[in-house]
Amino acid sequence: MQLLLKSIFTCALFVIFVYATAQSLLKVQETEARQAYLNVTSSSSSNLSQDDVHFLSRRLRQATAGEEGDEGAPSQMDDELEQMTKVHAEAPDAEELRECSEGLVLPLWMPQRNISVGDRLVRGFVYFVLLIYLFVGVSIIADRFMAAIEAITSIERAVVVKGPNNTKQVMHVRIWNETVANLTLMALGSSAPEILLSVIEIYAKDFESGDLGPGTIVGSAAYNLFMIIAVCMIWIPAGEVRRIRHLRVFFVTALFSVFAYVWLWLILSVFTPGVILVWEAIVTLLFFPLTVLWAYIAERRLLVYKYMDKNYRVNKRGTVVAGEHDQVEMDAEKGPKQPMVTSARGNDAEAFDEARREYITLLTELRQKYPDADLEQLEMMAQEQVLARSSKSRAFYRIQATRKMVGSGNLMRKIQERAHSDLTEVKAQLHAGDDEEVDDPIRMYFEPGHYTVMENCGEFEVRVVRRGDISTYASVEYETQDGTASAGTDFVGRKGLLSFPPGVDEQRFRIEVIDDDVFEEDECFYIRLFNPSEGVKLAVPMIATVMILDDDHAGIFAFTDSVFEITESVGRFELKVMRYSGARGTVIVPYWTENDTATESKDYEGARGELVFENNESEKFIDLFILEESSYEKDVSFKVHIGEPRLAPDSTHYHDELAAKIKEVEKKPVQDLTELDRILLLSKPRNGELTTAYVRIRESQEFKATVDKLVAKANVSAVLGTSSWKEQFKDALTVIPADESEFDNDDEEEEVPSCFSYVSHFICLFWKVLFAFVPPTDICGGYVTFVVSIFVIGVITAIIGDAASYFGCALNIKDSVTAILFVALGTSIPDTFASMIAAKHDEGADNCIGNVTGSNAVNVFLGIGLAWTIAAVYHSSHGMTFNVEPGTIGFAVALFCGEALIAIMLIMFRRWHKGIGAELGGPKVSKYISAAILVFLWVFYVVICILEAYDVIRV
């Protein structure tokens, strides 16, 4: 379909070129015949003005065709010719009437006299090819300009908003308002050639008016409004529609786009016909900021707009809330959603939360689609899709269209690279503090800081480590301190000095534990470090705790804590069960899990089994497996229980005999128990107080931080910029395939560049390499790129102006026709393909329709207003008036105003018609009929303007 449209555009342009060339060359031949006739009928030379030449040519044609209807026509013509020859003293030869004037930049093709028709055809063809090549060049540099504008308008500032639980959250929001950016810098970026051409032409013609600049602006406006919208209507995929989201802004820009041309007609033909006064030019220029201000007021719903166009509905709580009309319409297109509730957080915070929810949803979908992929891979894929699906500016689609046309591929590869770099950067930031201990002082501490030993262990080893600089000598003293265990009774006290020679990072010493046959509770004592050498710092733990477990009884079993908080990304979690107050014998402890707010098989894997504590074994672990969902704010829990412990049977039947004795003693009354019976009951394994533990699963803080940082970085405008000259030259010299699927190529393999991509690349290689010297957008936030790019656009536009003038001169085509037809099309073709891509992938129609009307208004107010202001002030300062002959431009403006009203009414009819309901797309028949009407309006406009320019029709 896209290839078909390209072919249609090319064929139409070629046919129009051939037709205009043929008509112009016929006019050359007629002029030569007329001059020969003048030379025959007049003995003296006559000096004819250009208007007289057209008038006489038209009268000659009428006489030849017998339009006067009487036999006296030839003699009347002779009388008129005789009268004209008497008025003028001399007449130059026909060649002088068609000489080209010297341009501003491009040298003139000499000679200019005695040029044959074949020579004119060759020159016209060369200038036509040169124009096309210049249009390609200005399109490429304009995209660099748009990238700079995107970098400027994407500048962000930090704001603090309140979170759901009154928690403060730092967010980054754009400084530039979207509407203001679209109507100022974005419009300037897409229309820079037309605007600069109008200004440069004024300077090139010594501050006199010309037809090329204003004609290009008017012709471009007609093409944009009629042809671009027509193409976008039928380009929407079958069964889909696109509606304008910012309808109020569209009304403002549509109003000003029509008013701009009405205003031109008024100052050209009504107020002061043929003269542009200083105040008229300045007012024309001032309408530009007025348009921007009014559109901003409409978009932000300020002044009277806040009382208009409201929709009210009831939320879940039964509260009546107000909603934006445009948002309601967009929600209706997407399907039913949760009702909107009032919020004090502001649009920026809500937009950030919405983007975060979209990221989590994408991550969940990708986890189901790729169950074997790790989290980091899924995060990168999700970030890539968030970037690809995020709302995009006009600059993105303009650059995408140009890259596809010149063999530089699309932006999907850069989106993938950006997603990978974002994730790498975020992970590096999160782990930045892990390895930052290079310059820390020498530290000494126990490792580990807690020891659990059996009473019958004899001796155990204690370890002290040194961290930091180990190239010097260091020392530290240690000593034991009593706790519930006493030195001399439960352990052997010790005190000493630990020396660390250069290169040694740890030292060990041993502590002896005293064993006895008396049952007692678990006891502990401490070992502390003190008096380190110079330059050594004691770190935590500088005191080690030693727990001595009694081994004379089976023990008491319990969890170490009642609540354990873990992250969902932990995977496998070991839940510790302790055995204290005895460790004799083999004991079996059953365990099982139970749902609380967490769900088995969704949040965790259920577990059931038995723990076997061997003789003198004091701790065991229950393996719990947590299922990661990558939820952003997860907070669920489940329970883990341990049952009644029991002695395990052994080969000596000692446990069986002991269990039988215990059961026999349990039958006795309490008052009949002897001391031996009480000791025997204490030796029985039993549960402690903590037999149930709650395992609380929370979201991973690293995952949460990763999501926040990635969502904050999900700015597709960063894809458009460049960070270095190396990157720019690499892109300039690389051929990348233009994938027709744009953003829906997740499951497709990378394609090989087509023959068309290679041809386009080598044709445009000169421009690509030349513009790779433009500074990258990362320098000074894109401002340097902005200034350099607009200067280069101005230079190329000046060459385009010269080439277009030479082209029309060689083929005897008027500047007004060249501007409306050829130059306007050349500058608007990239915008056509940009709008086609936007129409297919945007949720709304703003980038297709809203930007067209806004650009048309800006072109007149800024392009013509600035040029005419400069000229009017210049002439006024020299005591003269700035004269602008209405001519073809005035007629074209009046014709465009009437057709523009028809086009806008058609667009609104489609929006409010129940069977269509949208500006773009809709039922097949209706969209093709609407597109045909718009195409007819453009063709009619071009044909009538050409006929009027050549005096075929008189107005």
Side-chain angles (χ1 to χ4, degrees), residues 363 367 373-380 423 427 569 628 630 700 703:
L363 201 61
R367 183 178 295 280
D374 58 30
L375 178 60
E376 188 166 334
Q377 289 177 320
L378 296 176
E379 287 174 339
M380 188 182 72
L423 184 62
K427 295 294 185 183
S569 60
E628 186 177 7
S630 301
S700 169
F703 174 75

Side-chain angles (χ1 to χ4, degrees), residues 431-446:
H431 299 289
D434 294 348
D435 302 319
E436 296 179 354
E437 298 180 357
V438 179
D439 299 328
D440 287 349
I442 302 173
R443 296 169 291 114
M444 289 186 182
Y445 52 89
F446 288 104

Side-chain angles (χ1 to χ4, degrees), residues 596-647:
D596 188 30
T597 55
T599 304
E600 183 179 338
S601 300
K602 179 178 180 295
D603 300 306
Y604 71 98
E605 292 184 3
R608 181 178 294 271
E610 294 179 337
L611 299 176
V612 179
F613 286 81
E614 302 292 341
N615 187 41
N616 290 334
E617 192 171 18
S618 60
E619 61 184 31
K620 295 290 285 187
F621 296 92
I622 301 174
D623 289 334
L624 301 174
F625 294 92
I626 309 303
L627 302 179
E628 186 177 7
E629 291 184 310
S630 301
S631 298
Y632 183 79
E633 293 181 342
K634 191 171 190 176
D635 188 2
V636 294
S637 62
F638 64 96
K639 303 175 186 177
V640 182
H641 305 279
I642 56 173
E644 194 68 28
R646 66 180 188 276
L647 290 170

